[in-house]
Amino acid sequence: MSSVKRAIYPGTFDPITLGHIDIIERAAFLFDEVVVTVARNIGKNPLFTVEERMEMIRESVRHLPGVKVDNFNGLIVDYAKTTGAQAMIRGLRAMSDFEYEFQMALVNRTLYPDMVQVFLMPHEAYTHLNSTVVREVASFGGDISPFVSTAVVKKLKEKFEKKS
Ligand code: COA
C-alpha cells in the first residue's frame, strides 16, 4: 500500500473560484498529493468544456506543487479506487451546504467505506461565493477580479466576448 497521502477534490469548477482555491490550499497543507478533478454533475450544463475548466484550474494552482488536475466520468468512489486516493475533500461554506453534502457523503461511504471524507471550511470572505454568481456577473460585464484568479478573469472575458 502506498504511503503517499492522496486526496481527491471533485467538483464542477465552472469555473474555479478563489473559494475553491482556498480549499485546495488547505487540503495541500494536509495531504502529500491533492488531485483536483473535474467531475460530471448530471444536473448541470456547464459553460466551459472539461478541458477549459482543467486549464483554468492548472493556471490557478501553479503555486501549489503537490496539486494535480484531472477529470473523470462516472462514480466518484470508482475514481477514488482507481487513483488510490484515501480521502475526498469537500468544502462547506454554510449550513445550507450541509444537507446536500451529508447525503452525498453517506451514499459515498456506503459505496466505499475505506474512503475518508474530509470537509474543509473556506475563509469567510468566500462563504457567499459560487460559480453561478461569477458567471452571471461576468456575463453582464461586471468586475469578477475579487472572486476568481487572473487566469479565470481572462477566460471568462473571452467566453462572453465570443458569445456577444
Ligand atoms: N468556493 C466557492 N464556491 C464553491 C465552493 C467554494 N469553496 N465549494 C463549492 N462551491 C460552489 C461551486 O462553485 C458550485 O456552484 P454552482 O452550483 O453555482 O456551479 C456549488 O458550490 C457546488 O459545487 P461543486 O463542489 O462543484 O459540486 P457539484 O454539486 O457541482 O458536484 C460532484 C458534485 C461532481 C462531486 C458530484 O455530483 C459527484 O460526485 N458526481 C459524480 C457521480 C457520483 O459519484 N455521484 C454520486 C454522488 S453521491
Side-chain angles (χ1 to χ4, degrees):
M1 197 182 179
S2 163
S3 59
V4 175
K5 289 269 176 285
R6 182 177 297 126
I8 53 172
Y9 179 36
T12 309
F13 303 111
D14 187 39
I16 185 168
T17 68
L18 296 185
H20 292 122
I21 297 168
D22 179 290
I23 296 288
I24 297 165
E25 285 168 349
R26 289 171 203 276
F29 178 74
L30 295 174
F31 292 90
D32 302 317
E33 199 176 293
V34 177
V35 186
V36 183
T37 188
V38 175
R40 180 174 295 209
N41 177 333
I42 51 168
K44 290 186 176 175
N45 182 17
L47 173 68
F48 290 100
T49 65
V50 169
E51 206 32 71
E52 287 172 327
R53 282 178 273 159
M54 287 174 69
E55 188 50 33
M56 287 186 281
I57 300 169
R58 272 189 216 108
E59 291 183 18
S60 305
V61 299
R62 274 194 204 291
H63 60 295
L64 298 167
V67 177
K68 297 183 173 167
V69 184
D70 196 10
N71 76 88
F72 79 101
N73 216 338
L75 284 177
I76 190 65
V77 290
D78 290 336
Y79 177 79
K81 283 179 200 166
T82 55
T83 52
Q86 299 94 338
M88 174 172 129
I89 308 290
R90 294 288 291 166
L92 275 185
R93 290 160 299 170
M95 275 307 285
S96 49
D97 282 343
F98 183 76
E99 211 164 322
Y100 171 62
E101 293 298 334
F102 186 67
Q103 186 203 20
M104 204 158 64
L106 289 181
V107 172
N108 285 333
R109 185 187 277 174
T110 304
L111 295 172
Y112 186 25
D114 290 346
M115 181 177 75
V116 176
Q117 296 177 75
V118 178
F119 296 89
L120 297 173
M121 209 174 88
H123 189 280
E124 49 276 21
Y126 305 127
T127 50
H128 61 292
L129 202 54
N130 64 33
S131 302
T132 302
V133 162
V134 169
R135 290 194 306 272
E136 185 172 330
V137 174
S139 73
F140 291 112
D143 178 17
I144 46 166
S145 60
F147 312 127
V148 294
S149 67
T150 46
V152 175
V153 170
K154 192 165 167 272
K155 289 278 169 18
L156 273 163
K157 274 194 183 144
E158 285 168 10
K159 185 64 92 179
F160 286 110
E161 270 163 18
K162 266 187 209 150
K163 278 182 176 261
S164 62

